[in-house]
Amino acid sequence: MPRMLMISCLAFVCAACQQTDRDVPTEGSADEHGAEVHLTPSIAYEHACAACHETGKNGAPRTGDEAAWAGRSALWEAVLFEHAKQGYFDMPAHGLDGRFSDDEIAAAAQYMLETTHPDRPRD
């Protein structure tokens, strides 16, 4: 019985953590007092990457579509992080939202890769 209670509590905490990233303010990376706010990778992805990578706009490989990513560099993770930060052809630097730090953009790119290829090992 105590084990089942512990598992139930753990599941509740995990569910609450997953909900938290939806509650983060969507107004930039600074709160009303100017303090830096670190957003979750999924929130950064939604603001900076999803507009193109959910629809395939301008030839962007769609998130979740493994075939769309198949022809990419074998060094895809490092290359994607660099392109996300610096821009590349039709992909603007920092996606569509320049408010995020390089680390937040790299985390958004990692989130996109892990969503598309959940079983692939990281570089």
Side-chain angles (χ1 to χ4, degrees):
M1 185 66 174
R3 183 175 184 198
M4 189 60 138
L5 179 61
M6 185 171 67
I7 291 171
S8 296
C9 289
L10 183 59
F12 177 75
V13 169
C14 289
C17 289
Q18 288 178 347
Q19 181 63 35
T20 301
D21 68 352
R22 292 185 191 112
D23 297 334
V24 174
T26 58
E27 294 298 318
S29 291
D31 68 11
E32 66 266 9
H33 304 291
E36 190 171 344
V37 175
H38 294 284
L39 302 177
T40 65
S42 63
I43 293 294
Y45 167 81
E46 288 296 323
H47 288 274
C49 312
C52 295
H53 287 282
E54 290 293 318
T55 64
K57 181 179 178 181
N58 295 329
R62 292 182 63 165
T63 303
D65 181 356
E66 289 188 37
W69 291 88
R72 306 294 165 169
S73 168
L75 300 173
W76 67 328
E77 191 171 297
V79 170
L80 176 63
F81 292 175
E82 189 63 27
H83 289 173
K85 292 179 208 174
Q86 302 297 322
Y88 187 73
F89 291 116
D90 287 335
M91 184 171 69
H94 284 236
L96 295 175
D97 196 325
R99 299 176 290 178
F100 299 112
S101 70
D102 284 351
D103 289 341
E104 289 168 327
I105 291 299
Q110 181 68 41
Y111 171 83
M112 182 169 41
L113 291 177
E114 289 176 356
T115 299
T116 302
H117 300 281
D119 297 329
R120 186 175 174 111
R122 294 182 65 180
D123 285 348

